[in-house]
Amino acid sequence: MSVSWQRLLRWRLPAAGLLVVATFAVLTGRFWHPHYGFTKFVQLDEADHRSAISEVRAHPVFAYPGFNGYDGAAYLQLAFHPLLDSPELKPALDNFAYRARRILGSALAWVLAGGQPDRIAGTYAALNLGVWLAFAVLLWRVLPVTDARSWAAWAGVVLSAGVLHSVRLALTDLIAATLATAAIWLSEMSRTRGALGVLALAGLARETVLAAVVALWRGPWLSPRPWVRNAGRTALVALPLLGWMFYVRQQA
C-alpha cells in the first residue's frame, strides 16, 4: 500500500467527522437573522413576549406568531438576571422555582455577554452551538473514535434527537450532558476531585443529571468503606444544587 493511500485512510474518520460538523453548521446557520441573530432558537411566542420582562421587549428577540412557546424563553429571561434580583421575573415565568434552579446556562450567557443587556439574548440563543461543538470534540476522545463502528456511535449521539432539540429549542439538557460526559472522562483518568466538581456544576444545568454520580462510585462493593465514600461523593455533588435551590426558595 502506498504512503499516500495510507495517509488518506488515516484521515478518513476525521474528515467524516468534519463533514458532520460542517453539515451541522449549515443547518443551524439557516436560523440566523441579521437583526434577531439566533434568537429563533428560543421559541418565544406572542404570549411570552407580552408577559416577558422589559429587557426582552427592549432588545431584538424573535417572537413566533400564535402560541407555540417553549422552555428556552424562560431561561433566556433568567439570563438577564441570573441572581434572580428582578421583580419582573416571577410574573413572567410560568414556574419560577422550577426554571430558576436550572440556572447554569443563563448565568453562563450573562458572563459571556459581559453583563451587557444588548448582547445577552443573542449569546444565550447561540450558547448551545458552542456547547455542541465542545460535546462533539469531547465525545470523540471519550469513545474514542478509531474505526467505523465508533464513528457511527459518535455521529449517532451528536446528531441524536435530544442533542439537536437542545440546540433548536435553547434548552439546558446539552450543557448538562456535556458536563456529565466530562466528569466521567475525568473520573476514568483518576481525577476524582475534578470529576466531582464538574458533575456538581452540571446539576445546576439540569438536576436529573446528578444521577450520573453512580459512574463516579468505586468498589469493592462487598466492603462497607467504599459505600461510605460513595455516599460522600454523592453528597458533595448534590451540595451546590441544594444550596442554589435554597437561594431560589428565598427569592420566590
Side-chain angles (χ1 to χ4, degrees):
M1 184 180 294
S2 67
V3 175
S4 60
W5 183 246
Q6 288 178 337
R7 289 177 179 175
L8 179 63
L9 290 177
R10 189 184 311 127
W11 284 100
R12 70 190 187 282
L13 291 177
L18 289 175
L19 180 61
V20 170
V21 174
T23 302
F24 175 83
V26 170
L27 293 177
T28 54
R30 297 173 62 188
F31 288 89
W32 184 82
H33 187 278
H35 180 65
Y36 295 108
F38 283 105
T39 57
K40 285 185 178 181
F41 286 155
V42 176
Q43 204 70 19
L44 186 79
D45 65 10
E46 288 180 352
D48 288 332
H49 191 266
R50 285 196 298 268
S51 62
I53 62 175
S54 57
E55 288 89 347
V56 170
R57 295 190 299 272
H59 299 97
V61 179
F62 186 87
Y64 286 90
F67 300 91
N68 192 33
Y70 212 72
D71 298 18
Y75 303 132
L76 169 68
Q77 295 179 73
L78 287 168
F80 286 97
H81 302 282
L83 293 179
L84 317 179
D85 52 357
S86 170
E88 293 184 287
L89 281 175
K90 281 183 281 186
L93 306 185
D94 58 349
N95 190 333
F96 175 77
Y98 173 74
R99 308 298 183 192
R101 71 179 179 225
R102 298 178 176 180
I103 195 63
L104 182 62
S106 303
L108 183 57
W110 186 92
V111 171
L112 292 175
Q116 300 298 315
D118 59 330
R119 296 172 55 191
I120 289 173
T123 301
Y124 177 78
L127 182 62
N128 273 331
L129 297 176
V131 175
W132 183 90
L133 182 59
F135 181 62
V137 172
L138 175 64
L139 192 63
W140 188 280
R141 296 195 62 181
V142 168
L143 284 175
V145 177
T146 56
D147 54 23
R149 181 175 180 273
S150 54
W151 183 91
W154 171 84
V157 174
V158 299
L159 297 178
S160 64
V163 169
L164 296 183
H165 272 77
S166 290
V167 176
R168 173 62 186 88
L169 300 173
L171 303 178
T172 63
D173 306 54
L174 181 56
I175 299 173
T178 301
L179 291 173
T181 303
I184 294 171
W185 179 54
L186 288 170
S187 178
E188 290 177 348
M189 292 174 23
S190 300
R191 297 171 62 177
T192 304
R193 292 182 180 178
L196 292 173
V198 171
L199 188 58
L201 192 63
L204 295 173
R206 187 174 179 87
E207 65 283 351
T208 54
V209 79
L210 293 183
V213 70
V214 296
L216 310 186
W217 288 0
R218 294 293 180 267
W221 308 113
L222 298 180
S223 174
R225 180 171 294 180
W227 285 102
V228 173
R229 291 177 178 173
N230 290 332
R233 292 187 177 103
T234 303
L236 286 173
V237 164
L239 192 59
L241 176 62
L242 293 175
W244 177 251
M245 289 176 65
F246 176 78
Y247 177 79
V248 170
R249 186 178 180 86
Q250 300 302 112
Q251 301 297 314

